[in-house]
Amino acid sequence: MSVFKLNDQAPDFKLTGLDRKEYHLSDMLEQNDEKWFLLIYFRGSWCPACMEELDELEDTISYFDKHNISLLTITHDEKTSLEKMIKEHQFSFPVLLDEDFSFLKSYDVYYHGEDAPYEDHGEHAEPAYFLLNEEGKVLYQQRQTNPFGRPHAKELRKTIQYIRKNLK
């Protein structure tokens, strides 16, 4: 189980996107041109709150592009459901598959298992957010234990602005 302090180096990961490209954090950092990374773990294509959030992020993707931030979304949902989701919603950002839960474990994303205190669509991960700087250091993190209380695109933009303004 990993818990990060701000400015800790984020764990490396290697995941395949639905675009069939391989995404390896260490490679992205090595090839980096001062880009930050916003990593968002979402519950799955079956989650209406997630779809609303991802649609909102797509609608404001120009903000992230303008501020040199790569947006990567991650889930362990089924590939066929995700392919249908991408086609239906026309997402331009990568959707990465965490099939073996390696990202979930190394980033300590909350998993709502059968031992959870309440029922909620079966077993699945809950939303989590990680903003990494160009060196892969953690600037912001938020892990949810349920689908509510997550930051929307507007709050994420405010957080990014705040952090940029107050960097040491």
Side-chain angles (χ1 to χ4, degrees), residues 54-69:
L54 296 177
D55 284 335
E56 187 179 336
L57 287 166
E58 181 64 40
D59 290 344
T60 60
I61 198 75
S62 61
Y63 172 86
F64 299 101
D65 292 341
K66 178 181 169 187
H67 290 89
N68 211 22
I69 299 168

Side-chain angles (χ1 to χ4, degrees), residues 6-22:
L6 294 182
N7 214 33
D8 279 355
Q9 188 68 37
D12 198 9
F13 64 82
K14 187 181 202 177
L15 299 171
T16 302
L18 287 174
D19 57 7
R20 293 174 177 64
K21 293 181 186 174
E22 196 168 87

Side-chain angles (χ1 to χ4, degrees), residues 89-152:
H89 292 266
Q90 297 294 303
F91 294 138
S92 60
F93 46 79
V95 176
L96 312 183
L97 289 171
D98 188 23
E99 294 176 298
D100 63 358
F101 296 95
S102 59
F103 184 97
L104 178 139
K105 291 172 186 166
S106 65
Y107 279 74
D108 196 28
V109 174
Y110 179 75
Y111 187 76
H112 187 105
E114 62 182 38
D115 61 340
Y118 56 89
E119 292 294 324
D120 181 24
H121 298 88
E123 296 183 31
H124 59 275
E126 294 293 357
Y129 305 79
F130 305 92
L131 179 65
L132 312 180
N133 71 7
E134 66 279 358
E135 298 170 352
K137 296 197 175 182
V138 178
L139 298 175
Y140 166 82
Q141 61 185 317
Q142 185 176 67
R143 296 173 185 88
Q144 299 298 119
T145 58
N146 69 60
F148 307 107
R150 68 179 83 194
H152 290 280

Side-chain angles (χ1 to χ4, degrees), residues 36-40 57 64 69-73 129-132 140 156 160:
W36 285 9
F37 299 91
L38 179 58
L39 312 175
I40 299 175
L57 287 166
F64 299 101
I69 299 168
S70 288
L71 175 63
L72 302 168
T73 62
Y129 305 79
F130 305 92
L131 179 65
L132 312 180
Y140 166 82
L156 289 169
I160 290 165

